[in-house]
Amino acid sequence: MNALAGMELGERIHPDTGRRIAYVACTVVEGVAHAASPREVSAIAWAARDEIHHQYVPRGLFPPVQAYLDRR
């Protein structure tokens, strides 16, 4: 997949893993999404907005990511 990196949404130490996570909004320009580093990303999925909280992130998104999606 080719994507253009856009705005950095924020970064934090993930509360469950203790790893530094950077959140970046990207625009897909072509191809099929895939995990570029299977050691760091176990899976990816396209999800409708209402599926995010119910199926993927039940405790809620990182607030800057949620704010970005709310503006879209």
Side-chain angles (χ1 to χ4, degrees):
M1 174 182 79
N2 290 328
L4 299 174
M7 176 178 34
E8 183 176 326
L9 303 177
E11 61 180 64
R12 68 174 174 166
I13 302 299
H14 194 279
D16 293 337
T17 66
R19 291 183 175 210
R20 182 184 158 274
I21 304 293
Y23 299 85
V24 179
C26 297
T27 301
V28 176
V29 291
E30 68 180 3
V32 177
H34 65 280
S37 176
R39 290 182 355 183
E40 294 186 27
V41 178
S42 62
I44 60 169
W46 292 110
R49 191 174 300 220
D50 61 341
E51 294 175 323
I52 294 171
H53 293 293
H54 298 293
Q55 294 181 18
Y56 298 102
V57 191
R59 293 188 314 196
L61 292 169
F62 180 47
V65 173
Q66 184 65 60
Y68 173 81
L69 291 175
D70 289 345
R71 291 190 304 269
R72 296 281 170 220

